[in-house]
């Protein structure tokens, strides 16, 4: 997997700037869409763009999911294929640490799971006790790290970034 337009420069965002963090998230999603559209359509799968909705604060429930009280989070709603994003101090205190990049890739990966049918298969699996449901949820979430990580590898190293730890 190789991302198209790999040589483009990464969008910059300043620390503490929520507007720029949102724009950065959107730029990562745009790159994800370019990459995944090509791979999914080449595989004969139907593709459509995901929606991104920026919120100042999540309600207690969104798309049937409990939200937490964190000031920064991203959630995926499969029914409406929407990434809902709340960018706060947690994400903007050190924008250069790639947290927003990683979260965008991992959250978008749930849409990939939806488009390829993993979501439907997951929802069809019966479960008995709550512990079994929680284990299935854990595995489903772990599966999203695969397409998220594949995307990150396809664009890494980013122009101006290194894998060296400072």
């Amino acid at each position: 997997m190789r991302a198209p337009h790999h040589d483009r420069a990464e969008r910059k965002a300043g620390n503490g700037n929520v507007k720029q963090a949102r724009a950065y998230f959107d730029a990562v999603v745009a790159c994800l869409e370019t990459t995944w559209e090509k791979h999914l359509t080449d595989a004969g799968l139907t593709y459509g763009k995901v929606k991104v909705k920026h919120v100042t604060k999540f309600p207690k429930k969104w798309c049937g999911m409990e939200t937490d009280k964190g000031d920064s989070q991203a959630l995926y709603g499969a029914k409406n294929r929407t990434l809902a994003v709340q960018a706060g101090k947690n994400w903007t205190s050190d924008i250069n640490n790639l947290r927003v990049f990683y979260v965008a890739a991992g959250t978008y990966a749930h849409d990939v799971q939806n488009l390829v049918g993993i979501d439907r298969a997951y929802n069809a699996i019966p479960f008995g006790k709550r512990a079994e449901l929680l284990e299935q949820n854990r595995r489903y979430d772990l599966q999203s790290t695969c397409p998220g990580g594949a995307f990150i590898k396809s664009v890494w190293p980013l122009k101006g970034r290194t894998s060296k730890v400072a």
Side-chain angles (χ1 to χ4, degrees):
M1 173 183 215
R2 195 79 193 136
H5 313 298
H6 172 65
D7 294 330
R8 283 190 186 164
E10 179 184 14
R11 184 178 188 112
K12 297 297 180 195
N15 289 343
N17 191 317
V18 170
K19 185 177 178 182
Q20 287 179 349
R22 287 176 173 179
Y24 182 89
F25 188 96
D26 292 347
V28 174
V29 169
C31 187
L32 282 154
E33 293 205 312
T34 300
T35 301
W36 283 109
E37 178 180 20
K38 176 172 179 18
H39 291 288
L40 294 175
T41 56
D42 285 355
L45 297 166
T46 303
Y47 178 81
K49 290 188 175 206
V50 71
K51 296 176 208 101
V52 177
K53 178 181 180 179
H54 292 281
V55 298
T56 305
K57 185 169 173 66
F58 272 106
K60 288 183 181 182
K61 280 195 175 211
W62 183 80
C63 281
M65 294 177 279
E66 298 284 331
T67 61
D68 65 29
K69 295 183 185 202
D71 74 347
S72 302
Q73 55 189 312
L75 298 171
Y76 175 72
K79 289 180 184 175
N80 57 8
R81 294 194 52 238
T82 300
L83 297 174
V85 183
Q86 177 183 322
K89 290 178 186 171
N90 188 355
W91 284 3
T92 62
S93 61
D94 182 8
I95 198 72
N96 292 315
N97 72 5
L98 292 175
R99 181 180 297 146
V100 177
F101 185 84
Y102 174 78
V103 170
T107 307
Y108 185 91
H110 287 291
D111 190 54
V112 174
Q113 287 176 300
N114 188 6
L115 291 170
V116 302
I118 293 171
D119 205 50
R120 282 186 303 282
Y122 163 76
N123 286 319
I125 298 171
F127 60 90
K129 296 180 180 180
R130 179 169 166 75
E132 186 177 352
L133 173 63
L134 293 174
E135 177 60 19
Q136 289 175 14
N137 287 343
R138 184 185 73 79
R139 290 177 182 193
Y140 176 76
D141 284 338
L142 284 173
Q143 283 181 328
S144 73
T145 62
C146 183
F151 165 76
I152 291 170
K153 176 62 179 159
S154 78
V155 298
W156 194 261
L158 295 169
K159 203 174 202 178
R161 298 270 189 167
T162 177
S163 45
K164 293 179 184 175
V165 178

